[in-house]
Amino acid sequence: MRYGILGDIHSNLTALETVLGCLEQERVDRILSVGDVVGYGAAPSQCIALLREVGAHVVLGNHDAACVGRLDDVYFNNYARAAVAWTREVLSCDEMEFLHDLPLTLHEEHCSVAHGTLYRPELFDYIQSPTDADPSLDVMPLPVCFVGHSHVPVTLLRMRDDPTRTAYTAESEIDVEEAYRALVNVGSVGQPRDEDSRTAYAIYDSDLGKVWIRRVEYDIDVEAQRIRDAGLPHMLADRLYLGV
Ligand code: ZN
């Protein structure tokens, strides 16, 4: 089975359309999303509609949760909170219900999906080091798990020859067949934060036992203008050019 995995879309329609075009060429059988479909960007309804159209399997992100009242936005910064408030105003009841009903984790045939961590996903903790990853690696029921949240693509691995040691790699091709457990952060479709402004997505081929992180240019101007036109903080448009 070939999976296409989308991280943190954040209401960025142009980036999502670009990635879905790539996934069509990559001939994926199923599309997964690690959550944060909305927040920051100015096209939440369109992004939700596209994900529904392609039948994506989606988990709940912290911004999605804040929009529908499943999470207090007290820990959000001012920009994020402003975007959550704006998003709440523009979403229909049906779209709010879609977000509200998203699960915290998914277990597919060959991989699991969560937003921040697989261990206690409701806390929306970040995985930025092997130590952060260990509790999730310990509870993974399948060899591969996809996450997002930090918007930085990186993979935490435990190898068969020494499953007690957690290593990490920023390689764009990951041999998960070789690994005992692989926890893959797929980066962000709509707001990359690794100083690379290109949109990011992942492909997982379970037959080949390989994951690839792909980066593609998209029309940032269109999306930045949409954010400004919506009256959202201009900083949310400017950061797209910097990949931060
Ligand atoms: Zn996010």
Side-chain angles (χ1 to χ4, degrees):
M1 171 110 70
R2 247 171 113 75
Y3 296 89
I5 309 101
L6 311 179
D8 298 73
I9 297 162
H10 282 300
S11 303
N12 185 331
L13 179 60
T14 315
L16 179 59
E17 286 173 336
T18 302
V19 169
L20 289 177
C22 296
L23 292 185
E24 217 172 295
Q25 288 182 350
E26 302 248 21
R27 292 203 198 88
V28 300
D29 304 299
R30 188 174 300 165
I31 296 176
L32 309 174
S33 158
V34 306
D36 272 4
V37 177
V38 304
Y40 294 130
S45 301
Q46 298 93 317
C47 289
I48 290 173
L50 269 182
L51 286 184
R52 287 171 126 175
E53 201 179 302
V54 299
H57 294 189
V58 186
V59 296
L60 184 82
N62 55 317
H63 288 253
D64 309 320
C67 273
V68 296
R70 283 178 68 179
L71 181 74
D72 196 332
D73 64 8
V74 69
Y75 296 110
F76 281 34
N77 65 43
N78 289 342
Y79 300 112
R81 203 174 309 118
V84 164
W86 181 90
T87 304
R88 258 187 217 135
E89 290 296 311
V90 301
L91 288 184
S92 69
C93 291
D94 178 53
E95 289 157 351
M96 291 285 270
E97 215 170 296
F98 170 81
L99 294 179
H100 188 270
D101 293 346
L102 292 176
L104 281 164
T105 58
L106 279 173
H107 301 287
E108 303 281 325
E109 284 95 317
H110 307 95
C111 57
S112 304
V113 188
H115 185 62
T117 59
L118 194 62
Y119 173 76
R120 304 213 53 194
E122 73 281 6
L123 298 179
F124 297 108
D125 284 336
Y126 288 89
I127 292 178
Q128 286 167 322
S129 69
T131 314
D132 297 339
D134 281 336
S136 291
L137 287 161
D138 287 342
V139 298
M140 278 171 58
L142 294 161
V144 185
C145 177
F146 294 101
V147 296
H149 199 31
S150 71
H151 301 203
V152 176
V154 64
T155 298
L156 288 304
L157 290 160
R158 284 186 186 163
M159 304 309 283
R160 286 178 201 280
D161 55 2
D162 183 7
T164 59
R165 196 175 71 88
T166 306
Y168 79 92
T169 176
E171 291 289 319
S172 57
E173 181 176 317
I174 306 125
D175 194 339
V176 293
E177 190 73 12
E178 290 287 300
Y180 169 68
R181 292 285 183 267
L183 183 67
V184 185
N185 189 314
V186 295
S188 170
V189 170
Q191 196 195 79
R193 287 186 197 156
D194 57 348
E195 298 182 12
D196 180 344
S197 61
R198 294 174 300 167
T199 181
Y201 68 94
I203 298 288
Y204 171 37
D205 190 315
S206 60
D207 295 333
L208 298 175
K210 278 200 173 18
V211 172
W212 296 270
I213 305 288
R214 309 259 204 242
R215 304 303 289 261
V216 191
E217 309 249 357
Y218 73 99
D219 194 339
I220 297 178
D221 289 340
V222 171
E223 220 47 44
Q225 194 56 46
R226 199 195 314 270
I227 287 172
R228 293 192 201 99
D229 290 347
L232 286 161
H234 285 200
M235 180 272 193
L236 297 176
D238 299 340
R239 69 189 297 177
L240 296 180
Y241 291 95
L242 304 171
V244 294

